[in-house]
Amino acid sequence: MQQQVILSCFASTNKGLEQILINELEILGANNLVSVNAGVKFTANIDTIMLANLHSRFASRIMIEIAHGGYCNEEDIYTIARNINWSEWFNVDATIKVSTNAINSPLKSLEFITLRVKDAICDNFMHQQNRRPDVDKRDPDIRVYNFLTSDTVTVYLDTSGEALFKRGYRSTHQEAPLKENLAAGLIKLSGWSATSTPPPPLLDPMCGSGTIIIEALLMALNIAPGLYRKFAFEKFNNFYQNAWDNMKFAAKQAIRKDPNLKIYANDINPKAIIQATQNLQHAKLREYVEFTNLDFLDVQCPLHSSGGTIITNPPYGVRLNELDELASLYPKIASHLKNNFAGWNCYFFTADLRLPKLFRLKPSRKIPLFNGALDCRFYEFKMVSGSNR
Ligand SMILES: C[S@@+](CC[C@H](N)C(=O)[O-])C[C@H]1O[C@@H](n2cnc3c(N)ncnc32)[C@H](O)[C@@H]1O
């Protein structure tokens, strides 16, 4: 791995977050940024790639393109992968995992492509060193991704390891949490920022495991989301430990302290409050959050503030009885907001596209976003003083 070589890269993200990821990667030093479906192509040197892994709040994974070519059949793909100088990137002792994705590929089995690229890597090492790397499908050191179109294949080397939304603060299995990079994206899109003094109040009245409030705190205190986790590039050959230590040291120095910062969180379910509290404790951010354990309809405006931001992710209403419950809950939430949160900007992220109609309010913004394959919207409602009359 040569430090100053300019590499072609791809950062994957949630569909709908491409533009804010472009802005973020540009600030981190990436060039030639191009938005594609659920990702961003860019060029960068290895230092910028390490920085992006450490600091990106919106990317899911960052990969280096190590080969690209046309193909007619499986053996063409094998040849492209066989010709990569794999030992330039990693050691034969590293464990590997290969995966394949395709759009419009005429080839019958993606599993077979995966197998052939794995063979190509092993044959390459056998030829050079008479040894081959082991496969580890669960927790590999090195991940290789093949992406096929109808007639081209791109081979990517993953630099992230575990997906970047795994920040390391969520420990136990939790029910339907938002992905961390999506939650960070919602906060960015809302425009909430804690850098003004005093920080504007932020409330998540249906906080679940607390992803939105934790991501908001990481942003407000300028805590790099990757500070306390490992990355795949640490297993690359010629990994520059010193450069990496310096980046982490600089990120630690840049953390803000803000004794005035308070974020408000509520959930009707006491178990959710326990989970959110545990996650906050792991992230060492418990002191910044004030919890209530109430129905949304009983949540009062924090500090009787005349302005603030609500960002929340209500239940999706995937089950039938849930849909009925939500249909009767939404109008009550809308009148509660009108009566108690005048002057607040309220954001709802949901897959339930009936929400504005049931609120009987016109959203001032409506941003299409995907949660995995689920078509969602991020609605903005501005609660104008006296709008209920
Ligand atoms: C989709 S989950 C939120 C997930 C959360 N964003 C996370 O990342 O973990 C919706 C949450 O709304 C809560 N909830 C449902 N009805 C509520 C109500 N009437 N008042 C307050 N919270 C409610 C549920 O207990 C659940 O935790």
Side-chain angles (χ1 to χ4, degrees), residues 295-298 324-340 348 358-360:
D295 191 313
F296 190 162
L297 305 177
D298 296 320
D324 289 344
E325 279 170 29
L326 288 174
S328 71
L329 179 65
Y330 285 150
K332 293 180 198 153
I333 289 181
S335 56
H336 181 63
L337 291 175
K338 287 181 211 162
N339 290 327
N340 298 283
F348 287 80
L358 290 162
F359 266 21
R360 290 194 209 97

Side-chain angles (χ1 to χ4, degrees), residues 177-178 205-209 211 266-269 294-296 313-315:
L178 273 184
M206 297 170 131
C207 71
S209 65
T211 320
N266 173 76
D267 202 285
I268 199 166
N269 182 351
L294 300 167
D295 191 313
F296 190 162
N313 161 222

Side-chain angles (χ1 to χ4, degrees), residues 140-306:
D141 297 322
I142 299 290
R143 292 163 211 247
V144 173
Y145 292 93
N146 311 310
F147 179 68
L148 275 57
T149 64
S150 58
D151 57 358
T152 66
V153 57
T154 311
V155 182
Y156 292 103
L157 182 66
D158 171 49
T159 69
S160 302
E162 287 240 73
L164 293 179
F165 51 79
K166 296 191 180 164
R167 319 286 205 213
Y169 58 71
R170 198 190 293 284
S171 56
T172 49
H173 173 75
Q174 296 172 349
E175 214 176 301
L178 273 184
K179 286 213 175 96
E180 290 75 353
N181 61 337
L182 177 54
L186 300 181
I187 296 153
K188 185 75 182 171
L189 290 169
S190 78
W192 180 82
S193 142
T195 43
S196 38
T197 354
L202 177 70
L203 162 69
D204 181 352
M206 297 170 131
C207 71
S209 65
T211 320
I212 293 174
I213 52 166
I214 296 176
E215 290 300 315
L217 284 166
L218 293 177
M219 287 163 102
L221 299 170
N222 201 30
I223 300 173
L227 206 45
Y228 303 109
R229 52 159 282 167
K230 293 272 175 204
F231 296 93
F233 63 74
E234 294 176 63
K235 294 276 170 61
F236 286 3
N237 283 342
N238 303 327
F239 160 62
Y240 290 89
Q241 184 72 51
N242 272 354
W244 179 230
D245 288 344
N246 289 342
M247 280 177 207
K248 288 204 289 188
F249 180 76
K252 280 183 189 157
Q253 295 294 102
I255 293 175
R256 276 192 338 119
K257 293 264 177 288
D258 188 346
N260 296 322
L261 183 62
K262 235 339 138 232
I263 285 186
Y264 302 87
N266 173 76
D267 202 285
I268 199 166
N269 182 351
K271 280 192 196 146
I273 305 289
I274 292 170
Q275 282 185 350
T277 305
Q278 281 173 353
N279 288 338
L280 277 161
Q281 280 163 345
H282 290 146
K284 301 197 170 49
L285 296 169
R286 175 66 189 89
E287 65 191 281
Y288 295 102
V289 179
E290 217 161 90
F291 279 109
T292 46
N293 178 203
L294 300 167
D295 191 313
F296 190 162
L297 305 177
D298 296 320
V299 174
Q300 289 310 309
C301 189
L303 311 170
H304 306 286
S305 166
S306 60

